[in-house]
Amino acid sequence: MDFDVVVLGAGIVGVSAALHLQARGRRVALIDRRAPGEETSFGNAGLIERSSVVPYGFPRDLGTLLRYARNRSTDLYWDYKALPGYAAWLARFWWESSPRRLDAAARDMQPLIGRCVAEHDALIARAGLAELVHARGWMEAFRTPAAFARALKDAQAAASEHGLRATILDAAALRAREPAVGSDICGAVHWEDPKSVLDPGALVKGYAALFERDGGSSLIGDATTLRASDRTWTVRTEHGVLSAKEAVVALGPWSDVVFGPLGYRIPLRAKRGYHMHYRATRPMLSMPIVDSERGYVVAPMRGDRLRLTTGVEIANRNAPPTPVQLERVEPLARDTFGIGERVDPAPWLGMRPCTPDMRPVIGPAMRHRGLWFAFGHNHHGLTLGPVTGRLLAEMMTGEAPFTDPTPYRPDRFR
């Protein structure tokens, strides 16, 4: 039970870090309380989002803020009991979302976003998982001509600046491409560079199977038992105490249960979200589509199912699930995309691990030798898992990093 590295967290980020460390000759143990790919990595819209060149910032226009304040929107729901605990975080998020700071965040994220598809492709090829991935892109759909016109300008600017492929579809062209889309959508932007995953949980499990096939160890364990001892790290697992020279915290929204007791004050918060699967009542969508003015995504999944993923819920991490957002968007999605009866017995609730400056935390801990962090990927954990794993492994093994890791350093919040 002696290893070079123990990686805490078997989501997409932790599994990717384990694979990249293993490829560089490290003996790695992957530890989680559940099997790989069964937490946050399971419940997303399945996008490898190459076109998301600007992070999701805090809205600045008065109309949107007033709509959010009334707490009746489809893309955001907040629980008043959680607001005191989120107040400082939200204030920092608002400050970081000024146009100048948002531009800086986009520049800092570009090296990761720019390599996200290539890094996934490399792992997909090694793991033999091509049947889970489509190279069709995704669509932003719009209900009003004014919103569509604004999106056109933004899309053309982003495509030109970042070398992205985007096709503009009016209502007729959209329905010729996607017959299931209803008449309430007036147009869409088709982003062609991203890829979509038909079963995100299965993709992560496939990456984990590759890790195990190449000699890695996946174990059930308790990350909160991580302790430093004599230049090693120990953690309790189902097979006993494991020791390693280095430890990686890649627990997504639960990373604070490890770094908090060690004395680190990193402003990590969880934005909650839900998904539900439905049978289709119209021809199956060929790619994920976001209802941009209502803030939800409908994506085709394996087994001829449609997955509806909701927007953001601000609530305490351990608060009971609420049906509010699904109840608000289901009638819209039924009319617009032809979702039918529910398939799942209950909605799935997941957490998005978010930092207020919209950058992940990747790099060495400041006060503990051999401790590394890799979490806080906001809405893009699936997208950025493999590229994060590569960057972290390069740093840990002394290779020249493919990009400057300074924007993601853990000590930036001191």
Side-chain angles (χ1 to χ4, degrees), residues 144-413:
T144 62
F148 187 33
R150 288 192 299 270
L152 272 178
K153 292 177 61 177
D154 293 342
Q156 289 164 348
S160 174
E161 182 178 353
H162 299 285
L164 299 170
R165 295 173 296 156
T167 300
I168 308 305
L169 303 171
D170 63 15
L174 170 60
R175 273 177 276 284
R177 183 80 59 89
E178 296 287 346
V181 176
S183 60
D184 45 356
I185 298 297
C186 67
V189 178
H190 177 200
W191 295 99
E192 300 176 42
D193 297 281
K195 293 189 175 182
S196 58
V197 181
L198 295 175
D199 189 332
L203 183 76
V204 179
K205 287 182 180 296
Y207 288 171
L210 172 64
F211 168 71
E212 293 169 0
R213 195 159 62 239
D214 288 348
S217 298
S218 293
L219 302 168
I220 301 298
D222 182 357
T224 64
T225 65
L226 183 71
R227 299 289 184 272
S229 175
D230 296 328
R231 296 192 177 184
T232 64
W233 292 91
T234 62
V235 62
R236 287 203 301 269
T237 76
E238 60 183 344
H239 296 299
V241 176
L242 174 155
S243 65
K245 298 174 185 176
E246 297 181 285
V248 175
V249 179
L251 291 161
W254 296 277
S255 296
D256 61 335
V257 303
V258 174
F259 72 66
L262 292 174
Y264 296 91
R265 299 292 176 259
I266 298 171
L268 182 73
R269 290 291 184 274
K271 295 180 186 175
R272 303 192 344 163
Y274 298 83
H275 86 225
M276 173 60 72
H277 292 112
Y278 304 83
R279 304 196 188 282
T281 62
R282 301 174 192 165
M284 181 62 66
L285 297 175
S286 68
M287 68 188 75
I289 303 181
V290 58
D291 187 340
S292 297
E293 295 176 72
R294 296 295 184 268
Y296 65 91
V297 178
V298 175
M301 292 282 151
R302 230 173 19 173
D304 293 326
R305 300 171 302 161
L306 291 171
R307 175 180 289 186
L308 188 157
T309 65
T310 69
V312 170
E313 180 183 66
I314 301 297
N316 291 323
R317 187 166 55 194
N318 297 322
T322 64
V324 174
Q325 285 182 296
L326 278 172
E327 289 176 352
R328 290 176 178 176
V329 299
E330 273 185 346
L332 297 170
R334 185 169 294 114
D335 292 341
T336 303
F337 299 111
I339 66 168
E341 63 182 11
R342 288 184 173 187
V343 174
D344 305 329
W348 184 88
L349 168 62
M351 316 281 177
R352 305 174 181 101
C354 298
T355 60
D357 67 353
M358 295 159 283
R359 300 161 177 87
V361 177
I362 308 171
M366 296 81 78
R367 296 188 297 276
H368 291 82
R369 181 174 178 172
L371 181 63
W372 298 80
F373 294 152
F375 53 79
H377 290 76
N378 296 276
H379 294 254
H380 295 307
L382 181 69
T383 294
L384 298 176
V387 71
T388 295
R390 173 180 171 175
L391 179 60
L392 182 73
E394 288 171 344
M395 297 169 69
M396 291 179 66
T397 59
E399 289 184 36
F402 76 88
T403 189
D404 181 6
T406 301
Y408 326 118
R409 68 190 191 280
D411 65 352
R412 68 184 190 269
F413 295 110

